Amino acid sequence: MKPADAIRAELGRIARDLGAPDGTDVILERPRDRAHGDWATNVAMILARPLKQKPRDIAEKIREQFRAEGAGVASIDVAGPGFLNFRLRPEVIASVAGDIIEAGERYGRSDSGNGAKVNVEFVSANPTGPLHVGHGRQAALGDAIATLLEHTGWDVSREYYYNDAGAQIWNLMESVEARLKEAKGETAPIPEGGYHGEYIREIAASYVGEIDSLPAIQAHAVSELRREQDLDLAAFGVKFDTYFLESSLYDDLKVDMTVEALTQSGKTYEHEGALWLRTTDYGDDKDRVMRKNDGTFTYFVPDVAYHVTKWHRGFKRAINVQGADHHSTVTRVRAGLQALDIDIPEGYPEYVLHQMVTVTRGGEEVKISKRAGSYVTVRDLIDEVGRDAVRFFFLMRKGDSPLIFDVDLARSQSEENPVYYIQMAHARMCGIFRVGAEQGIVTGTAHADLSLLTEPEEQQLIKALEDYPAEVAGSAAALEPQRLASYLLETARLAHLWYHKHHVLGQEPPLMRARLVLARAAQIVIANGLSALGITAPERM
RNA sequence: GCGUGCGUAGCUCAGUUGGAUAGAGCGUCUGCCUCCGGAGCAGAAGGUCGUGGGUUCGAGUCCCGCCGCGCGCACCA
């Protein structure tokens, strides 16, 4: 049993004896201040009300009744308003390192998702141009969230929705047509709302079909751009399980069926030649048009039809990663799903929204990519700083905050660069084993006496490693990869600290063996954490 | 104006779903180490958590008002 579990069990037993109500959960947490001990609980404060006693009196009783030896506890203090602080025996803390090695790359995984299906949709760019940095943030976020969910026991499906129908595609087609005419020497301006990037000329140049066949031009442009985006995603190392085409919703009459069902529900009305949905019944600030007076549908109608397919495909949980500039769609899509009245939960789908990305180089904002014209592409970024740095930088801030991507920092091979810093900690641990092997030292970890790991830096590092599973679980539950990123930074710091202060190789064999276990455990945790974020853990740098 | 998100050290940001004296990196200052350079080590200073109320044993965290900034407010996506 893990030390924390032992304490929790003992606290549970005492709480019951004291007459705590059923369902009282005992929360153990790391005290913010290390001087307060290894674990703390506020259970005495929680029980104060139901037991009608002072928190400190309850805490005192718990302290007296606590059977410390079995739980590996060295001392218990009552502090502050009624906290119980536990200090563990050093060898109990150290024993965790052995468990980590045993679990290996499975360390940190859990099964709280129970294998339930969850759909994670992200990027979902219109095939009207190369992916820009915002899509990059989405790709990093979506992929990491998907992996975190996998690590916590969910059956995850990564999905990409191509908006290959509608007005944007029409604009794309007209833009390419204009460039085709231009190539023949005609004057042909890009239409309003059209695309001006250099890539439009490339698409026109590679077109070999009928010059006046608009459907052919459209098909060519869309397929070229999809191929282009696939290359962007491949460069980023993201793989999707499903590519869902918006056009298929029209082909399969899903859009018509959805409109029909919404009309049947009585939540729609005709007004000024358009068909409206009463989204105000579901918290929107005004009703929304479904069918425009030109007979075509507004974008959110296929979006509703699309989410109905997710539901029917067995995803009781769906998560959409999007730019916050699209946040107004949230209410509309959910309203449409509710109006259908087919038992879809109100909060379906869940949204993870992220704020803007700005790229800086030399302290100046970079605004333009040559190929795309008006924005910086993901590919530019990956080419310049590498996939790992791009991913980490996109993940280290919470989605709610705008993100400034400092290209100079991301490229830097120094410890100021957070990715480099974490990967370096991993490489250093690997270096110990590499050098050890060269010296003929057996770096196996069997028969180590971990109670020798008593240095403060060692105890602190081990405690951080012990927290890894909880960090993964918390990060996954909150859909917030940046938590894990922060954790890795802190853990890397502790690993560097330990490495600087204490040598492994060249120590007396028993101590060396114990430290080899710790080095291996640290290496495993950092590697697992990086992998959960989609970042590699190089063995040397 | 309405909706939404943000506001934490000089700078960049964490803050584990409401806990104890609010943390880290960079920068600054003081020592130490280094042939030089890059850097490394130990420590220090630095805060009215935008602001005013509220909720309770307890608020950076939850609720309301105000101020500032971003985003959205199309029969575009």
Side-chain angles (χ1 to χ4, degrees):
Chain A
M1 197 189 309
K2 281 185 282 185
D5 292 335
I7 296 173
R8 216 175 272 120
E10 182 66 4
L11 286 171
R13 178 188 69 83
I14 298 168
R16 276 191 300 279
D17 285 354
L18 291 175
D22 290 346
T24 304
D25 55 341
V26 176
I27 296 167
L28 258 204
E29 56 187 11
R30 294 290 190 191
R32 220 178 249 177
D33 189 338
R34 253 185 296 137
H36 289 141
D38 299 315
W39 291 105
T41 182
N42 62 352
V43 70
M45 284 133 84
I46 301 281
L47 290 176
R49 194 185 298 262
L51 297 187
K52 296 197 168 72
Q53 297 175 44
K54 291 178 189 165
R56 284 197 66 110
D57 292 346
I58 299 173
E60 203 54 52
K61 281 181 195 163
I62 294 175
R63 192 176 69 82
E64 283 162 14
Q65 293 179 30
F66 198 93
R67 296 189 291 229
E69 319 73 46
V73 171
S75 69
I76 308 172
D77 294 307
V78 175
F83 286 103
L84 281 154
N85 292 333
F86 298 87
R87 208 171 297 274
L88 297 176
R89 296 199 302 270
E91 70 272 19
V92 173
I93 293 173
S95 70
V96 171
D99 303 337
I100 294 172
I101 292 184
E102 205 168 306
E105 65 178 27
R106 296 203 50 78
Y107 182 66
R109 301 206 186 197
S110 60
D111 53 6
S112 52
N114 288 316
K117 287 177 70 172
V118 55
N119 183 291
V120 183
E121 181 203 330
F122 55 107
V123 185
S124 293
N126 298 339
T128 54
L131 299 178
H132 56 69
V133 288
H135 295 126
R137 189 172 187 181
Q138 253 170 65
L141 264 175
D143 200 38
I145 286 171
T147 307
L148 283 168
L149 289 170
E150 283 168 348
H151 284 197
T152 49
W154 293 82
D155 178 11
V156 179
S157 184
R158 291 169 173 77
E159 188 152 319
Y160 189 120
Y161 179 61
Y162 272 116
N163 293 102
D164 64 338
Q168 306 296 338
I169 296 297
W170 190 264
N171 290 337
L172 169 71
M173 182 186 72
E174 290 191 329
S175 304
V176 174
E177 187 196 18
R179 291 305 188 204
L180 280 167
K181 286 180 177 165
E182 179 193 73
K184 286 184 6 185
E186 297 173 31
T187 323
I190 297 286
E192 191 168 338
Y195 301 92
H196 296 264
E198 192 57 34
Y199 65 92
I200 296 290
R201 282 206 176 84
E202 293 171 14
I203 291 169
S206 66
Y207 180 67
V208 293
E210 297 280 330
I211 189 104
D212 49 2
S213 168
L214 291 180
I217 292 172
Q218 176 180 321
H220 173 71
V222 168
S223 83
E224 280 296 295
L225 284 167
R226 281 189 57 188
R227 199 172 56 82
E228 188 80 20
Q229 293 185 351
D230 286 347
L231 292 173
D232 290 344
L233 293 167
F236 207 29
V238 180
K239 287 199 178 72
F240 287 90
D241 300 292
T242 305
Y243 291 89
F244 199 101
L245 301 185
E246 182 188 3
S247 57
S248 77
L249 294 165
Y250 289 97
D251 296 343
D252 300 343
L253 302 179
K254 292 278 194 332
V255 175
D256 293 312
M257 287 158 64
T258 299
V259 172
E260 176 63 20
L262 285 171
T263 309
Q264 290 295 322
S265 75
K267 293 290 182 184
T268 64
Y269 58 92
E270 300 268 354
H271 179 65
E272 292 179 348
L275 181 67
W276 297 68
L277 180 67
R278 268 185 233 284
T279 53
T280 48
D281 287 0
Y282 304 97
D284 206 350
D285 52 352
K286 56 184 168 188
D287 290 341
R288 303 292 168 173
V289 169
M290 294 170 59
R291 195 194 314 111
K292 298 179 255 180
N293 53 24
D294 68 1
T296 61
F297 297 107
T298 55
Y299 74 93
F300 94 91
V301 177
D303 230 14
V304 171
Y306 171 46
H307 283 88
V308 171
T309 76
K310 284 187 188 172
W311 182 255
H312 285 152
R313 281 184 282 150
F315 296 110
K316 296 283 185 253
R317 194 174 178 205
I319 297 163
N320 292 356
V321 183
Q322 297 186 351
D325 52 340
H326 285 208
H327 80 259
S328 61
T329 69
V330 174
T331 316
R332 263 169 260 184
V333 170
R334 285 181 179 164
L337 293 172
Q338 288 308 300
L340 287 169
D341 198 20
I342 51 176
D343 291 328
I344 294 178
E346 277 181 38
Y348 189 93
E350 297 163 60
Y351 283 87
V352 174
L353 302 179
H354 67 83
Q355 300 290 329
M356 308 269 94
V357 175
T358 44
V359 178
T360 65
R361 181 187 286 112
E364 302 272 314
E365 181 175 350
V366 184
K367 277 196 164 143
I368 311 211
S369 132
K370 235 182 179 169
R371 288 211 56 227
S374 54
Y375 55 84
V376 180
T377 66
V378 204
R379 197 92 68 83
D380 291 342
L381 225 44
I382 297 172
D383 288 347
E384 185 161 2
V385 309
R387 180 199 288 185
D388 286 339
V390 173
R391 279 192 184 242
F392 189 85
F393 273 60
F394 279 147
L395 293 174
M396 67 183 179
R397 303 277 176 253
K398 61 179 155 194
D400 288 335
S401 318
L403 188 147
I404 296 168
F405 196 110
D406 182 340
V407 170
D408 303 314
L409 182 61
R411 294 181 58 144
S412 147
Q413 301 282 301
S414 77
E415 296 194 352
E416 285 173 37
N417 179 348
V419 206
Y420 182 89
Y421 187 73
I422 296 169
Q423 290 182 322
M424 188 64 194
H426 179 267
R428 274 189 166 150
M429 299 301 119
C430 293
I432 294 170
F433 293 100
R434 189 168 56 242
V435 173
E438 285 164 8
Q439 295 175 356
I441 292 166
V442 179
T443 54
T445 51
H447 310 302
D449 178 6
L450 299 179
S451 70
L452 297 171
L453 299 174
T454 54
E455 297 288 349
E457 292 80 9
E458 300 180 318
Q459 292 269 306
Q460 231 189 308
L461 176 58
I462 296 167
K463 281 194 273 180
L465 300 179
E466 182 181 4
D467 289 341
Y468 176 70
E471 291 290 338
V472 171
S475 215
L479 308 177
E480 290 181 351
Q482 94 278 353
R483 284 199 201 176
L484 189 57
S486 296
Y487 165 83
L488 286 174
L489 217 40
E490 171 65 10
T491 302
R493 196 178 69 84
L494 295 173
H496 283 299
L497 227 55
W498 174 66
Y499 178 90
H500 278 304
K501 192 138 183 184
H502 304 289
H503 279 255
V504 176
L505 303 175
Q507 303 295 317
E508 291 299 309
L511 181 59
M512 183 182 73
R513 276 199 295 274
R515 287 188 174 165
L516 282 168
V517 170
L518 179 52
R520 182 64 84 194
Q523 185 224 318
I524 287 170
V525 167
I526 295 172
N528 289 2
L530 286 173
S531 135
L533 298 180
I535 297 166
T536 63
E539 293 189 6
R540 60 196 311 169
M541 304 188 61

